[in-house]
Amino acid sequence: DAGVIQSPRHEVTEMGQEVTLRCKPISGHNSLFWYRQTMMRGLELLIYFNNNVPIDDSGMPEDRFSAKMPNASFSTLKIQPSEPRDSAVYFCASSFVGGGSPLHFGNGTRLTVT
Amino acid sequence: DQQVKQNSPSLSVQEGRISILNCDYTNSMFDYFLWYKKYPAEGPTFLISISSIKDKNEDGRFTVFLNKSAKHLSLHIVPSQPGDSAVYFCAASTDSWGKFQFGAGTQVVVTP
């Protein structure tokens, strides 16, 4: 079991640029979650998918943020255009079914927008 | 609106002693609770869970207690070991989709 795989581990970009974060969930899991961790807000849920379908995107901060899950083994979180306040660690997590099943997190992508 | 609160940002404990981490919540509809441990530059890893139908769950050195009337849960680590030094998050969920809300975390430092 390779666990949840995120790429890149670190991303430094200039304000206004497009940023794409990638996630490969654990094989067999049918739910995928994108979280963001900041000092001010802690771990906050941005969006989650079940069977590749977005269920709740109420945590997405602005229209600049979008997420897709084209198949069961891949998801992207895109920020366009990026701003310095988007600087944070972005985590992807997956689980089976939901219903209280523990989330399995990737190691995160540390995003710095200058 | 923070519905899950960890009011102690840090905790220092001697090796071999008990670590007690606390978590309070405001939403009475939460029915499943998790504790996660996080090392620097890594993602949170699952430690232990408890559902609202129980008041205690134990797994080795880790025990979670749930007091529904007080909307409070705690994590006990006995005995504490240097490898337990990490940030601990509590998380709670109300729905069947596994949508969890996390507390701000408590940094635990276990000293020799």
Side-chain angles (χ1 to χ4, degrees):
Chain A
D1 181 357
V4 175
I5 299 173
Q6 292 186 247
S7 64
R9 288 298 310 271
H10 302 274
E11 177 79 42
V12 180
T13 191
E14 291 184 348
M15 182 174 66
Q17 297 296 308
E18 177 179 297
V19 174
T20 299
L21 311 181
R22 297 173 175 77
C23 176
K24 177 178 168 56
I26 291 173
S27 177
H29 283 186
N30 61 1
S31 295
L32 183 139
F33 304 78
W34 282 100
Y35 279 86
R36 177 171 70 175
Q37 184 182 25
T38 60
M39 290 295 293
M40 292 297 294
R41 301 175 68 88
L43 266 170
E44 53 178 338
L45 178 65
L46 301 178
I47 185 172
Y48 66 99
F49 297 82
N50 184 260
N51 292 325
N52 312 337
V53 176
I55 302 300
D56 185 346
D57 65 355
S58 60
M60 297 286 260
E62 299 173 33
D63 291 345
R64 299 184 295 106
F65 286 70
S66 62
K68 293 182 179 179
M69 193 165 185
N71 57 62
S73 59
F74 185 65
S75 176
T76 59
L77 178 67
K78 186 178 291 187
I79 308 172
Q80 166 64 18
S82 58
E83 296 183 3
R85 59 191 167 124
D86 301 331
S87 297
V89 180
Y90 291 80
F91 289 103
C92 175
S94 70
S95 70
F96 179 70
V97 178
S101 299
L103 304 178
H104 297 261
F105 283 83
N107 284 330
T109 295
R110 180 173 293 277
L111 173 65
T112 302
V113 183
T114 61
Chain B
D1 178 29
Q2 279 280 78
Q3 297 187 44
V4 179
K5 298 179 182 178
Q6 294 176 257
N7 292 319
S8 297
S10 63
L11 172 69
S12 182
V13 64
Q14 276 191 317
E15 183 178 1
R17 307 294 287 267
I18 183 170
S19 294
I20 299 177
L21 291 82
N22 294 303
C23 180
D24 296 295
Y25 59 95
T26 57
N27 189 342
S28 59
M29 299 301 291
F30 284 140
D31 60 4
Y32 199 74
F33 304 87
L34 307 177
W35 282 95
Y36 281 82
K37 174 179 177 179
K38 185 184 180 303
Y39 293 119
E42 295 184 11
T45 55
F46 170 69
L47 260 183
I48 191 168
S49 65
I50 190 166
S51 73
S52 59
I53 62 173
K54 292 187 172 182
D55 55 19
K56 177 182 175 181
N57 189 26
E58 193 172 349
D59 184 0
R61 296 186 298 113
F62 302 91
T63 303
V64 56
F65 296 91
L66 176 62
N67 183 334
K68 291 185 288 293
S69 60
K71 296 191 184 67
H72 176 83
L73 67 157
S74 61
L75 175 69
H76 291 207
I77 307 173
V78 183
S80 299
Q81 299 174 354
D84 297 330
S85 296
V87 177
Y88 291 78
F89 293 95
C90 67
S93 175
T94 62
D95 63 33
S96 61
W97 296 108
K99 177 182 173 181
F100 284 93
Q101 293 195 36
F102 283 78
T106 297
Q107 172 77 59
V108 172
V109 175
V110 180
T111 57

